[in-house]
């Protein structure tokens, strides 16, 4: 009997609104990459029969929710769902044991995110930019977290539990509602802190220990020539991202010289 069972599916610039049913039946899947198209729905049993599925990339589609089967993807390591219309997230996503890299930027997860309880023991990188999030969850346990992007939201308070993120090195909080009393905790591990375009009139003392501090667009920087107040090539990119290796989406623009030539035009 003819069979179709793939380890990798990669489709770019497609015209599907729904994946073929045969994809739900594949048991050998390890990576699924379907980007840049009108995909609206993932069936509730998508990936449920693929115990080794570890990479799921579905950026630039029109998805409004995750399939309930996401809770069963125990091997999932990398999950990119940026630039969709996601509002609903099953609670099981927040307990996946192997999830390392999570990108949910430019969706609609504001209220869906604010009341969750996060327990992701292996999470290292999380991208939440541009989701209209007003407050961070009440409970969040991610001891391995090293990088958090949460710019372009409405966050006004950084909760005390951030003190448990002892491996956090890069924190991006630009374009929020932060002021000088917003930080309930200080950090001694941060290498990069981006708090541009907030409402800071003074800096907490621990800001002085951050190697790369970006604060332009705050009241404290009015007429201030400090290095931390220097304007960057755009409100999304900063000098640290320009210096590192590889193409950073935030810097992939003409005004930033396409991440100094590291991004394809």
């Amino acid at each position: 009997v003819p069979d179709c069972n793939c380890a990798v599916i990669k489709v770019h610039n497609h015209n599907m609104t729904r994946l073929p049913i045969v994809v739900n039946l594949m048991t050998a899947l390890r990576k699924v990459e379907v980007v840049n198209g009108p995909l609206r729905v993932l069936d509730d049993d998508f990936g449920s029969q693929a115990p080794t599925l570890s990479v799921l990339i579905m950026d630039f589609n029109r998805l409004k929710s995750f399939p309930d089967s996401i809770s069963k993807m125990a091997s999932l390591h990398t999950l990119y769902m940026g630039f969709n219309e996601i509002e609903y997230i099953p609670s099981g996503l927040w307990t996946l044991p192997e999830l390392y890299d999570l990108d949910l930027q430019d969706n609609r997860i504001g209220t869906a995110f604010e009341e969750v309880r996060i327990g992701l023991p292996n999470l290292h990188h999380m991208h939440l930019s541009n989701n209209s999030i007003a407050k961070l969850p009440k409970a969040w346990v991610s001891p391995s977290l090293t990088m958090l992007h949460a710019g372009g939201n409405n966050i006004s308070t950084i909760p005390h539990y951030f003190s448990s993120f002892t491996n956090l090195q890069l924190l991006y909080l630009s374009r929020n509602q932060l002021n000088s009393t917003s930080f309930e905790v200080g950090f001694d591990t941060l290498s990069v802190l981006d708090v541009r375009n907030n409402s800071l009139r003074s800096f907490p003392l621990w800001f002085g220990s951050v190697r790369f501090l970006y604060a332009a667009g705050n009241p404290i920087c009015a007429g201030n020539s400090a290095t931390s107040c220097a304007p960057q090539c755009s409100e999304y990119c900063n000098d640290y991202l320009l210096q590192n290796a590889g193409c950073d989406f935030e810097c992939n623009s003409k005004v930033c010289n396409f991440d100094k030539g590291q991004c394809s035009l």
Side-chain angles (χ1 to χ4, degrees), residues 104-167:
L104 298 174
Q105 65 178 306
D106 288 84
N107 276 285
R108 301 174 182 175
I109 66 168
T111 55
F113 181 72
E114 293 167 7
E115 301 300 326
V116 301
R117 300 180 67 87
I118 301 178
L120 296 170
N122 199 44
L123 185 69
H124 280 62
H125 307 144
M126 191 170 190
H127 208 318
L128 298 170
S129 297
N130 306 319
N131 272 289
S132 300
I133 296 169
K135 59 182 180 180
L136 294 167
K138 295 179 180 179
W140 187 341
V141 179
S142 295
S144 299
L145 191 67
T146 61
M147 178 179 68
L148 175 62
H149 283 257
N153 287 290
N154 297 311
I155 299 168
S156 60
T157 302
I158 305 304
H160 189 269
Y161 63 67
F162 266 59
S163 62
S164 67
F165 300 157
T166 55
N167 293 301

Side-chain angles (χ1 to χ4, degrees), residues 191-249:
S191 296
V192 177
L193 175 62
D194 192 337
V195 290
R196 288 176 292 164
N197 299 306
N198 279 283
S199 300
L200 294 164
R201 295 186 177 278
S202 63
F203 290 156
L205 290 177
W206 62 267
F207 273 29
S209 64
V210 179
R211 183 178 178 187
F212 299 98
L213 174 63
Y214 302 99
N218 284 282
I220 190 176
C221 285
N224 193 330
S225 61
T227 301
S228 59
C229 291
Q232 304 297 300
C233 62
S234 81
E235 63 181 39
Y236 307 104
C237 184
N238 59 46
D239 287 344
Y240 177 82
L241 293 174
L242 290 174
Q243 294 168 14
N244 66 5
C247 172
D248 295 289
F249 176 82

Side-chain angles (χ1 to χ4, degrees), residues 28-78:
L29 286 175
R30 290 181 177 270
K31 178 179 181 179
V32 178
E33 182 174 340
V34 181
V35 302
N36 197 21
L39 188 67
R40 291 179 178 273
V41 176
L42 290 176
D43 294 335
D44 284 342
D45 56 350
F46 167 77
S48 61
Q49 299 188 49
T52 57
L53 180 60
S54 59
V55 178
L56 183 56
I57 301 174
M58 296 203 165
D59 295 330
F60 296 100
N61 283 289
R62 301 185 67 180
L63 294 167
K64 293 185 179 296
S65 65
F66 285 88
D68 288 336
S69 57
I70 196 78
S71 306
K72 303 176 183 178
M73 299 180 187
S75 298
L76 198 61
H77 175 279
T78 300

Side-chain angles (χ1 to χ4, degrees), residues 8-16 19-20 23 32-37 57-59 61:
V8 176
I9 295 176
K10 185 175 181 179
V11 183
H12 285 210
N13 304 314
H14 63 89
N15 61 0
M16 298 179 290
L19 296 180
V23 175
V32 178
E33 182 174 340
V34 181
V35 302
N36 197 21
I57 301 174
M58 296 203 165
D59 295 330
N61 283 289

Side-chain angles (χ1 to χ4, degrees), residues 80-119:
Y80 293 167
M81 289 274 196
F83 302 93
N84 280 279
E85 302 170 9
I86 294 172
E87 298 178 2
Y88 169 71
I89 303 176
S91 58
L93 169 65
W94 306 114
T95 60
L96 293 176
E98 298 298 327
L99 193 59
Y100 183 97
D101 200 345
L102 176 60
D103 189 341
L104 298 174
Q105 65 178 306
D106 288 84
N107 276 285
R108 301 174 182 175
I109 66 168
T111 55
F113 181 72
E114 293 167 7
E115 301 300 326
V116 301
R117 300 180 67 87
I118 301 178

